mmCIF file of all heavy atoms in Angstrom:
data_model
loop_
_atom_site.group_PDB
_atom_site.id
_atom_site.type_symbol
_atom_site.label_atom_id
_atom_site.label_comp_id
_atom_site.label_asym_id
_atom_site.label_seq_id
_atom_site.Cartn_x
_atom_site.Cartn_y
_atom_site.Cartn_z
ATOM 1 N N LYS A 5 -9.113 -5.604 -0.038
ATOM 2 C CA LYS A 5 -7.740 -5.597 -0.542
ATOM 3 C C LYS A 5 -7.035 -6.912 -0.218
ATOM 4 O O LYS A 5 -6.243 -7.427 -1.026
ATOM 5 C CB LYS A 5 -6.965 -4.417 0.044
ATOM 6 C CG LYS A 5 -7.377 -3.049 -0.497
ATOM 7 C CD LYS A 5 -6.499 -1.963 0.059
ATOM 8 C CE LYS A 5 -6.838 -0.592 -0.542
ATOM 9 N NZ LYS A 5 -8.201 -0.162 -0.200
ATOM 10 N N LEU A 6 -7.296 -7.460 0.958
ATOM 11 C CA LEU A 6 -6.705 -8.747 1.323
ATOM 12 C C LEU A 6 -7.197 -9.855 0.389
ATOM 13 O O LEU A 6 -6.439 -10.753 0.010
ATOM 14 C CB LEU A 6 -7.042 -9.099 2.772
ATOM 15 C CG LEU A 6 -6.334 -8.273 3.843
ATOM 16 C CD1 LEU A 6 -6.844 -8.674 5.224
ATOM 17 C CD2 LEU A 6 -4.820 -8.474 3.768
ATOM 18 N N ARG A 7 -8.475 -9.803 0.038
ATOM 19 C CA ARG A 7 -9.030 -10.800 -0.895
ATOM 20 C C ARG A 7 -8.322 -10.718 -2.240
ATOM 21 O O ARG A 7 -7.977 -11.744 -2.849
ATOM 22 C CB ARG A 7 -10.535 -10.552 -1.051
ATOM 23 C CG ARG A 7 -11.237 -11.483 -2.029
ATOM 24 C CD ARG A 7 -12.722 -11.152 -2.067
ATOM 25 N NE ARG A 7 -12.965 -9.829 -2.615
ATOM 26 C CZ ARG A 7 -13.149 -9.578 -3.912
ATOM 27 N NH1 ARG A 7 -13.085 -10.581 -4.788
ATOM 28 N NH2 ARG A 7 -13.382 -8.355 -4.341
ATOM 29 N N ILE A 8 -8.103 -9.503 -2.719
ATOM 30 C CA ILE A 8 -7.426 -9.317 -4.001
ATOM 31 C C ILE A 8 -5.962 -9.744 -3.900
ATOM 32 O O ILE A 8 -5.429 -10.411 -4.795
ATOM 33 C CB ILE A 8 -7.547 -7.849 -4.455
ATOM 34 C CG1 ILE A 8 -9.021 -7.542 -4.779
ATOM 35 C CG2 ILE A 8 -6.652 -7.560 -5.661
ATOM 36 C CD1 ILE A 8 -9.310 -6.091 -5.032
ATOM 37 N N PHE A 9 -5.295 -9.369 -2.781
ATOM 38 C CA PHE A 9 -3.912 -9.800 -2.568
ATOM 39 C C PHE A 9 -3.813 -11.325 -2.603
ATOM 40 O O PHE A 9 -2.905 -11.884 -3.246
ATOM 41 C CB PHE A 9 -3.399 -9.289 -1.220
ATOM 42 C CG PHE A 9 -2.175 -10.018 -0.730
ATOM 43 C CD1 PHE A 9 -0.915 -9.744 -1.248
ATOM 44 C CD2 PHE A 9 -2.292 -11.036 0.221
ATOM 45 C CE1 PHE A 9 0.206 -10.444 -0.816
ATOM 46 C CE2 PHE A 9 -1.182 -11.737 0.660
ATOM 47 C CZ PHE A 9 0.072 -11.450 0.139
ATOM 48 N N HIS A 10 -4.731 -12.010 -1.934
ATOM 49 C CA HIS A 10 -4.695 -13.480 -1.890
ATOM 50 C C HIS A 10 -4.821 -14.062 -3.296
ATOM 51 O O HIS A 10 -4.112 -15.015 -3.642
ATOM 52 C CB HIS A 10 -5.828 -14.003 -1.001
ATOM 53 C CG HIS A 10 -5.839 -15.496 -0.862
ATOM 54 N ND1 HIS A 10 -5.043 -16.176 0.030
ATOM 55 C CD2 HIS A 10 -6.528 -16.456 -1.540
ATOM 56 C CE1 HIS A 10 -5.246 -17.479 -0.082
ATOM 57 N NE2 HIS A 10 -6.148 -17.670 -1.032
ATOM 58 N N ALA A 11 -5.714 -13.503 -4.099
ATOM 59 C CA ALA A 11 -5.905 -14.002 -5.467
ATOM 60 C C ALA A 11 -4.642 -13.796 -6.300
ATOM 61 O O ALA A 11 -4.241 -14.672 -7.073
ATOM 62 C CB ALA A 11 -7.095 -13.301 -6.116
ATOM 63 N N VAL A 12 -3.986 -12.648 -6.134
ATOM 64 C CA VAL A 12 -2.757 -12.369 -6.891
ATOM 65 C C VAL A 12 -1.638 -13.310 -6.448
ATOM 66 O O VAL A 12 -0.918 -13.873 -7.276
ATOM 67 C CB VAL A 12 -2.335 -10.896 -6.711
ATOM 68 C CG1 VAL A 12 -0.968 -10.641 -7.358
ATOM 69 C CG2 VAL A 12 -3.382 -9.965 -7.308
ATOM 70 N N ALA A 13 -1.477 -13.472 -5.125
ATOM 71 C CA ALA A 13 -0.430 -14.355 -4.604
ATOM 72 C C ALA A 13 -0.660 -15.790 -5.059
ATOM 73 O O ALA A 13 0.289 -16.516 -5.385
ATOM 74 C CB ALA A 13 -0.394 -14.279 -3.086
ATOM 75 N N ASP A 14 -1.913 -16.203 -5.098
ATOM 76 C CA ASP A 14 -2.240 -17.576 -5.501
ATOM 77 C C ASP A 14 -1.992 -17.780 -6.991
ATOM 78 O O ASP A 14 -1.500 -18.833 -7.416
ATOM 79 C CB ASP A 14 -3.707 -17.867 -5.151
ATOM 80 C CG ASP A 14 -4.043 -19.341 -5.249
ATOM 81 O OD1 ASP A 14 -3.254 -20.168 -4.753
ATOM 82 O OD2 ASP A 14 -5.081 -19.682 -5.834
ATOM 83 N N ALA A 15 -2.313 -16.760 -7.792
ATOM 84 C CA ALA A 15 -2.172 -16.876 -9.249
ATOM 85 C C ALA A 15 -0.769 -16.535 -9.728
ATOM 86 O O ALA A 15 -0.332 -17.010 -10.781
ATOM 87 C CB ALA A 15 -3.188 -15.962 -9.937
ATOM 88 N N GLY A 16 -0.050 -15.698 -8.978
ATOM 89 C CA GLY A 16 1.288 -15.275 -9.390
ATOM 90 C C GLY A 16 1.289 -14.303 -10.544
ATOM 91 O O GLY A 16 2.307 -14.099 -11.200
ATOM 92 N N SER A 17 0.125 -13.701 -10.782
ATOM 93 C CA SER A 17 0.002 -12.802 -11.941
ATOM 94 C C SER A 17 -1.179 -11.866 -11.731
ATOM 95 O O SER A 17 -2.247 -12.295 -11.283
ATOM 96 C CB SER A 17 -0.200 -13.621 -13.217
ATOM 97 O OG SER A 17 -0.773 -12.857 -14.252
ATOM 98 N N LEU A 18 -0.983 -10.601 -12.037
ATOM 99 C CA LEU A 18 -2.077 -9.632 -11.952
ATOM 100 C C LEU A 18 -3.181 -9.970 -12.947
ATOM 101 O O LEU A 18 -4.371 -9.871 -12.649
ATOM 102 C CB LEU A 18 -1.551 -8.217 -12.216
ATOM 103 C CG LEU A 18 -0.583 -7.631 -11.180
ATOM 104 C CD1 LEU A 18 -0.012 -6.321 -11.691
ATOM 105 C CD2 LEU A 18 -1.284 -7.419 -9.851
ATOM 106 N N THR A 19 -2.780 -10.375 -14.150
ATOM 107 C CA THR A 19 -3.751 -10.694 -15.205
ATOM 108 C C THR A 19 -4.616 -11.884 -14.821
ATOM 109 O O THR A 19 -5.851 -11.839 -14.930
ATOM 110 C CB THR A 19 -3.028 -10.985 -16.526
ATOM 111 O OG1 THR A 19 -2.220 -9.856 -16.876
ATOM 112 C CG2 THR A 19 -4.024 -11.254 -17.639
ATOM 113 N N HIS A 20 -3.979 -12.968 -14.361
ATOM 114 C CA HIS A 20 -4.730 -14.164 -13.989
ATOM 115 C C HIS A 20 -5.634 -13.900 -12.789
ATOM 116 O O HIS A 20 -6.772 -14.380 -12.736
ATOM 117 C CB HIS A 20 -3.775 -15.310 -13.679
ATOM 118 C CG HIS A 20 -3.035 -15.818 -14.875
ATOM 119 N ND1 HIS A 20 -1.834 -16.482 -14.801
ATOM 120 C CD2 HIS A 20 -3.332 -15.734 -16.201
ATOM 121 C CE1 HIS A 20 -1.429 -16.794 -16.020
ATOM 122 N NE2 HIS A 20 -2.317 -16.346 -16.888
ATOM 123 N N ALA A 21 -5.135 -13.123 -11.831
ATOM 124 C CA ALA A 21 -5.965 -12.780 -10.676
ATOM 125 C C ALA A 21 -7.162 -11.944 -11.110
ATOM 126 O O ALA A 21 -8.282 -12.138 -10.621
ATOM 127 C CB ALA A 21 -5.131 -12.029 -9.646
ATOM 128 N N GLY A 22 -6.928 -11.016 -12.050
ATOM 129 C CA GLY A 22 -8.025 -10.206 -12.562
ATOM 130 C C GLY A 22 -9.101 -11.049 -13.220
ATOM 131 O O GLY A 22 -10.303 -10.785 -13.066
ATOM 132 N N ASP A 23 -8.669 -12.092 -13.950
ATOM 133 C CA ASP A 23 -9.641 -12.989 -14.592
ATOM 134 C C ASP A 23 -10.496 -13.701 -13.546
ATOM 135 O O ASP A 23 -11.710 -13.854 -13.718
ATOM 136 C CB ASP A 23 -8.901 -14.029 -15.452
ATOM 137 C CG ASP A 23 -8.232 -13.402 -16.671
ATOM 138 O OD1 ASP A 23 -8.632 -12.286 -17.049
ATOM 139 O OD2 ASP A 23 -7.314 -14.041 -17.236
ATOM 140 N N VAL A 24 -9.849 -14.137 -12.463
ATOM 141 C CA VAL A 24 -10.578 -14.841 -11.401
ATOM 142 C C VAL A 24 -11.548 -13.896 -10.696
ATOM 143 O O VAL A 24 -12.682 -14.263 -10.379
ATOM 144 C CB VAL A 24 -9.585 -15.444 -10.378
ATOM 145 C CG1 VAL A 24 -10.330 -15.998 -9.166
ATOM 146 C CG2 VAL A 24 -8.748 -16.535 -11.030
ATOM 147 N N LEU A 25 -11.092 -12.657 -10.468
ATOM 148 C CA LEU A 25 -11.881 -11.695 -9.702
ATOM 149 C C LEU A 25 -12.842 -10.874 -10.570
ATOM 150 O O LEU A 25 -13.641 -10.094 -10.034
ATOM 151 C CB LEU A 25 -10.937 -10.731 -8.978
ATOM 152 C CG LEU A 25 -9.996 -11.357 -7.940
ATOM 153 C CD1 LEU A 25 -8.923 -10.358 -7.535
ATOM 154 C CD2 LEU A 25 -10.782 -11.830 -6.721
ATOM 155 N N HIS A 26 -12.729 -11.059 -11.892
ATOM 156 C CA HIS A 26 -13.533 -10.276 -12.843
ATOM 157 C C HIS A 26 -13.236 -8.780 -12.689
ATOM 158 O O HIS A 26 -14.139 -7.936 -12.651
ATOM 159 C CB HIS A 26 -15.026 -10.551 -12.656
ATOM 160 C CG HIS A 26 -15.385 -12.001 -12.772
ATOM 161 N ND1 HIS A 26 -15.275 -12.716 -13.949
ATOM 162 C CD2 HIS A 26 -15.817 -12.886 -11.840
ATOM 163 C CE1 HIS A 26 -15.637 -13.976 -13.734
ATOM 164 N NE2 HIS A 26 -15.967 -14.096 -12.468
ATOM 165 N N LEU A 27 -11.939 -8.468 -12.554
ATOM 166 C CA LEU A 27 -11.474 -7.089 -12.474
ATOM 167 C C LEU A 27 -10.407 -6.868 -13.533
ATOM 168 O O LEU A 27 -9.751 -7.807 -13.973
ATOM 169 C CB LEU A 27 -10.873 -6.802 -11.090
ATOM 170 C CG LEU A 27 -11.817 -6.852 -9.883
ATOM 171 C CD1 LEU A 27 -11.004 -6.733 -8.594
ATOM 172 C CD2 LEU A 27 -12.861 -5.746 -9.955
ATOM 173 N N SER A 28 -10.214 -5.609 -13.911
ATOM 174 C CA SER A 28 -9.158 -5.310 -14.873
ATOM 175 C C SER A 28 -7.800 -5.401 -14.185
ATOM 176 O O SER A 28 -7.699 -5.284 -12.954
ATOM 177 C CB SER A 28 -9.346 -3.901 -15.436
ATOM 178 O OG SER A 28 -9.138 -2.929 -14.419
ATOM 179 N N GLN A 29 -6.765 -5.607 -14.987
ATOM 180 C CA GLN A 29 -5.414 -5.691 -14.430
ATOM 181 C C GLN A 29 -5.047 -4.407 -13.692
ATOM 182 O O GLN A 29 -4.427 -4.431 -12.632
ATOM 183 C CB GLN A 29 -4.400 -5.968 -15.538
ATOM 184 C CG GLN A 29 -2.959 -6.056 -15.037
ATOM 185 C CD GLN A 29 -1.972 -6.338 -16.158
ATOM 186 O OE1 GLN A 29 -2.351 -6.839 -17.203
ATOM 187 N NE2 GLN A 29 -0.718 -6.002 -15.934
ATOM 188 N N SER A 30 -5.439 -3.267 -14.263
ATOM 189 C CA SER A 30 -5.102 -1.986 -13.636
ATOM 190 C C SER A 30 -5.800 -1.825 -12.289
ATOM 191 O O SER A 30 -5.210 -1.296 -11.329
ATOM 192 C CB SER A 30 -5.482 -0.828 -14.565
ATOM 193 O OG SER A 30 -6.870 -0.855 -14.868
ATOM 194 N N ALA A 31 -7.051 -2.299 -12.189
ATOM 195 C CA ALA A 31 -7.780 -2.207 -10.918
ATOM 196 C C ALA A 31 -7.120 -3.081 -9.850
ATOM 197 O O ALA A 31 -6.983 -2.676 -8.693
ATOM 198 C CB ALA A 31 -9.229 -2.623 -11.113
ATOM 199 N N VAL A 32 -6.694 -4.286 -10.247
ATOM 200 C CA VAL A 32 -5.999 -5.173 -9.313
ATOM 201 C C VAL A 32 -4.692 -4.541 -8.864
ATOM 202 O O VAL A 32 -4.351 -4.547 -7.676
ATOM 203 C CB VAL A 32 -5.748 -6.553 -9.967
ATOM 204 C CG1 VAL A 32 -4.876 -7.419 -9.059
ATOM 205 C CG2 VAL A 32 -7.061 -7.258 -10.261
ATOM 206 N N SER A 33 -3.955 -3.973 -9.817
ATOM 207 C CA SER A 33 -2.663 -3.357 -9.518
ATOM 208 C C SER A 33 -2.831 -2.207 -8.526
ATOM 209 O O SER A 33 -2.028 -2.054 -7.590
ATOM 210 C CB SER A 33 -2.010 -2.866 -10.800
ATOM 211 O OG SER A 33 -0.758 -2.271 -10.530
ATOM 212 N N ARG A 34 -3.869 -1.383 -8.714
ATOM 213 C CA ARG A 34 -4.110 -0.249 -7.811
ATOM 214 C C ARG A 34 -4.381 -0.726 -6.386
ATOM 215 O O ARG A 34 -3.883 -0.146 -5.417
ATOM 216 C CB ARG A 34 -5.302 0.585 -8.310
ATOM 217 C CG ARG A 34 -4.981 1.512 -9.462
ATOM 218 C CD ARG A 34 -6.069 2.557 -9.641
ATOM 219 N NE ARG A 34 -7.394 1.953 -9.851
ATOM 220 C CZ ARG A 34 -7.861 1.614 -11.046
ATOM 221 N NH1 ARG A 34 -7.113 1.796 -12.131
ATOM 222 N NH2 ARG A 34 -9.068 1.101 -11.156
ATOM 223 N N GLN A 35 -5.159 -1.795 -6.263
ATOM 224 C CA GLN A 35 -5.489 -2.324 -4.933
ATOM 225 C C GLN A 35 -4.249 -2.871 -4.238
ATOM 226 O O GLN A 35 -4.063 -2.687 -3.035
ATOM 227 C CB GLN A 35 -6.557 -3.425 -5.048
ATOM 228 C CG GLN A 35 -7.911 -2.941 -5.521
ATOM 229 C CD GLN A 35 -8.604 -2.075 -4.487
ATOM 230 O OE1 GLN A 35 -8.346 -2.191 -3.299
ATOM 231 N NE2 GLN A 35 -9.454 -1.179 -4.951
ATOM 232 N N ILE A 36 -3.388 -3.566 -4.973
ATOM 233 C CA ILE A 36 -2.153 -4.111 -4.393
ATOM 234 C C ILE A 36 -1.239 -2.971 -3.953
ATOM 235 O O ILE A 36 -0.641 -3.006 -2.870
ATOM 236 C CB ILE A 36 -1.430 -5.031 -5.396
ATOM 237 C CG1 ILE A 36 -2.277 -6.286 -5.692
ATOM 238 C CG2 ILE A 36 -0.055 -5.444 -4.863
ATOM 239 C CD1 ILE A 36 -2.550 -7.153 -4.483
ATOM 240 N N ARG A 37 -1.141 -1.940 -4.799
ATOM 241 C CA ARG A 37 -0.302 -0.791 -4.467
ATOM 242 C C ARG A 37 -0.813 -0.109 -3.193
ATOM 243 O O ARG A 37 -0.037 0.260 -2.306
ATOM 244 C CB ARG A 37 -0.275 0.199 -5.637
ATOM 245 C CG ARG A 37 1.129 0.645 -5.971
ATOM 246 C CD ARG A 37 1.257 1.509 -7.203
ATOM 247 N NE ARG A 37 0.050 2.024 -7.807
ATOM 248 C CZ ARG A 37 -0.436 1.604 -8.972
ATOM 249 N NH1 ARG A 37 0.175 0.634 -9.640
ATOM 250 N NH2 ARG A 37 -1.518 2.141 -9.468
ATOM 251 N N ALA A 38 -2.123 0.030 -3.090
ATOM 252 C CA ALA A 38 -2.717 0.681 -1.916
ATOM 253 C C ALA A 38 -2.477 -0.142 -0.656
ATOM 254 O O ALA A 38 -2.220 0.413 0.418
ATOM 255 C CB ALA A 38 -4.225 0.879 -2.144
#
Side-chain angles (χ1 to χ4, degrees):
K5 289 184 176 64
L6 289 176
R7 178 179 66 89
I8 293 171
F9 162 78
H10 182 82
V12 173
D14 193 45
S17 160
L18 294 172
T19 303
H20 292 157
D23 292 341
V24 172
L25 297 167
H26 304 294
L27 295 172
S28 67
Q29 179 180 339
S30 59
V32 173
S33 180
R34 282 196 303 272
Q35 294 291 334
I36 294 299
R37 228 174 11 251

